Amino acid sequence: MQRNLEQSPSRTPGHSRQGPLSNEIANSSPHSVEDDPLAASTILSPQEVHPDNNSVSEPNVAVVERAGKNFGFLIAAENFLPIDQQDVPPPFRGQHSGQSSRKALLQFLHEGHYRAAATTAGELLKSCDPLDYDTIFRLLYVRLACLQIIGLYAHAAQEVKPLQDLNAPFFRERGKHLAPWELRVLVVRLQALAFDDWRRGIMTYYELAREARYEARRAPADARSTWAARLRDLGLRIGNALIEINDVEGAVRHLKTLRTDSEASAGAMEGRLALLYLRCGDVDAARRCFELSDERSRLLHPLCTMAEGDFEQAGVLWAALKDNMDESLPEAAVVSQALAICKLYTGHVQEARETLESLVQPHGAVSGIAFNLSTVYELSSDNNLELKLKLAQHIASEPAEDGAVWDKSNAHFKL
């Protein structure tokens, strides 16, 4: 069913955006993630920055000063649920048991073995000094992030409960929050899931945005880009939260307020809006967005054609893209996979199978390839179970690409 979302109020020229998510601080690139997730934060503390006369009001947060705060309640053994492997294909099981050192943890993260990393982080947390809050919070971030990556959202939502209100005065000392920013942001969504309170989650995002804007105003010029990137990230997370509670119209209106004067940022935002319109079935609005988006809009045009059900024409468009695309680009696997899906929907099952099988060797860890190929096996072979197990064995034997997730569940192979 098509829904018209183009009903947001018009903005008058020169309208000032002074809300907590306004992002007029810096136009530089987002802050990069540290290679070592347990290393000390590189973000300047409030004591290392200089106030600006144009700063917004300081967040009204009380501070509990207490020497040697005890965080033992966060590392109690009962906080951490066991990570079983019942839903894991045999080739992906138990390859890293018994390793619980920091060196092993960093290796697991580098290789994309996030299930092993989550288990190791949990073991390291249980043996932490309850006064060493820096290590505790960084290990908690690794644990919770890894649980989300491997799809164990229920585990993560349960384990985040002991943190309760991470913005409480107890977690601050001498004007500085003790937890890293990344953990504070991650916890918001998990607690919304845990307590089924998305309204509180959205309000917390706005509180964090206000704090980020305050810190950005008083930070030196070379640190402002970090806070600007954090504001952009919070804006997107609020949009995501609105989508999760099925307020798609509100999400569209919100994302439109995040448009900036930066050509690159504006193009990326239009692309996100296009995908959001496609999600709710408004293909015409999506097409209007991709005309304004950046160079990645070339992927949106055939995607809109697929959304309209014209898989024959979409296949032609994907094939044209594939022929003119460098195979080393990250989008190459996405284009080939979309082409295979169009072939499947137009009855060319064998061609779809050959296309997907050609992606397994270089891109086996890419999301969706294993699932789509398993679907083709079910449609093209009576011996599909054996084929799917061989596929799992093959992907498990290959190292994950940079940034890819090596771990797979039975659902990835439709087992």
Side-chain angles (χ1 to χ4, degrees):
M1 179 177 67
Q2 188 172 8
R3 300 166 65 182
N4 182 15
L5 302 180
E6 291 286 316
Q7 296 180 354
S8 58
S10 60
R11 300 176 62 87
T12 58
H15 180 76
S16 176
R17 296 177 308 207
Q18 294 299 325
L21 291 177
S22 299
N23 187 14
E24 300 169 353
I25 299 165
N27 293 322
S28 53
S29 59
H31 178 60
S32 59
V33 180
E34 298 177 49
D35 293 332
D36 184 350
L38 304 182
S41 175
T42 59
I43 305 304
L44 296 178
S45 67
Q47 289 75 30
E48 297 170 308
V49 296
H50 305 283
D52 185 4
N53 293 332
N54 193 30
S55 62
V56 297
S57 60
E58 181 176 4
N60 185 20
V61 180
V63 177
V64 176
E65 301 291 354
R66 185 181 304 163
K69 292 181 180 178
N70 191 314
F71 292 93
F73 65 97
L74 295 179
I75 58 176
E78 58 268 21
N79 292 351
F80 308 105
L81 302 177
I83 303 176
D84 60 56
Q85 302 191 47
Q86 295 179 356
D87 191 39
V88 178
F92 292 88
R93 292 180 185 173
Q95 295 194 12
H96 306 288
S97 58
Q99 303 185 50
S100 58
S101 66
R102 171 173 168 160
K103 181 178 179 180
L105 174 60
L106 296 177
Q107 181 180 354
F108 294 151
L109 293 172
H110 177 71
E111 296 176 351
H113 294 266
Y114 293 106
R115 185 179 296 270
T119 301
T120 302
E123 293 301 316
L124 291 173
L125 277 164
K126 295 174 187 177
S127 59
C128 272
D129 179 352
L131 302 182
D132 186 3
Y133 64 84
D134 187 66
T135 300
I136 291 174
F137 285 135
R138 294 188 179 281
L139 284 172
L140 274 175
Y141 173 74
V142 172
R143 168 79 175 188
L144 295 173
C146 288
L147 288 175
Q148 284 197 105
I149 289 173
I150 61 177
L152 296 180
Y153 296 101
H155 277 63
Q158 182 64 31
E159 293 186 12
V160 81
K161 287 182 177 179
L163 282 169
Q164 300 182 35
D165 184 7
L166 196 55
N167 288 329
F170 177 79
F171 294 100
R172 292 181 179 270
E173 194 167 82
R174 290 187 291 274
K176 176 184 176 183
H177 204 289
L178 301 180
W181 180 267
E182 295 79 9
L183 176 64
R184 297 173 63 192
V185 174
L186 178 69
V187 161
V188 176
R189 178 175 181 269
L190 290 178
Q191 290 190 333
L193 290 170
F195 300 109
D196 193 23
D197 190 354
W198 287 97
R199 181 177 178 273
R200 175 190 173 191
I202 293 174
M203 290 176 61
T204 304
Y205 279 137
Y206 273 99
E207 290 174 6
L208 290 173
R210 181 186 178 193
E211 180 178 341
R213 191 167 184 81
Y214 170 75
E215 294 296 343
R217 290 294 190 188
R218 63 201 298 263
D222 59 351
R224 291 188 177 185
S225 61
T226 295
W227 292 106
R230 289 175 172 179
L231 274 172
R232 287 193 295 270
D233 176 66
L234 288 169
L236 294 175
R237 288 176 185 272
I238 290 174
N240 181 71
L242 292 170
I243 293 170
E244 294 205 64
I245 60 176
N246 294 319
D247 186 4
V248 182
E249 291 91 342
V252 169
R253 289 194 297 269
H254 168 73
L255 290 177
K256 285 183 176 180
T257 68
L258 302 183
R259 288 168 167 161
T260 66
D261 296 331
S262 168
E263 184 175 346
S265 298
M269 184 58 65
E270 294 298 333
R272 295 186 182 101
L273 283 169
L275 293 175
L276 185 53
Y277 281 126
L278 284 179
R279 173 169 177 160
C280 60
D282 196 342
V283 181
D284 291 337
R287 288 190 182 279
R288 288 193 292 272
C289 285
F290 81 67
E291 291 173 356
L292 303 174
S293 63
D294 57 16
E295 60 181 9
R296 286 171 292 184
S297 65
R298 57 182 178 168
L299 303 180
L300 294 174
H301 181 37
L303 194 61
C304 289
T305 306
M306 289 180 70
E308 292 174 326
D310 190 353
F311 292 99
E312 193 77 45
Q313 179 61 24
V316 173
L317 295 173
W318 288 122
L321 273 178
K322 184 175 183 296
D323 292 340
N324 296 286
M325 179 173 287
D326 184 354
E327 292 295 328
S328 63
L329 293 176
E331 304 95 89
V334 176
V335 171
S336 295
Q337 190 173 186
L339 175 59
I341 293 173
C342 290
K343 290 179 178 179
L344 178 62
Y345 273 92
T346 53
H348 301 89
V349 180
Q350 187 59 34
E351 292 183 27
R353 175 173 173 172
E354 293 171 359
T355 301
L356 289 171
E357 285 179 337
S358 69
L359 297 174
V360 172
Q361 181 66 33
H363 304 291
V366 175
S367 175
I369 291 179
F371 182 88
N372 289 325
L373 185 51
S374 297
T375 301
V376 171
Y377 284 154
E378 291 179 344
L379 297 173
S380 62
S381 174
D382 294 331
N383 196 26
N384 60 80
L385 178 58
E386 181 179 347
L387 290 172
K388 289 188 283 188
L389 289 173
K390 286 183 179 179
L391 176 62
Q393 181 67 52
H394 176 76
I395 293 179
S397 66
E398 297 290 333
E401 294 180 324
D402 291 341
V405 182
W406 178 84
D407 299 275
K408 297 289 183 290
S409 66
N410 286 333
H412 286 92
F413 302 95
K414 306 186 73 173
L415 294 172

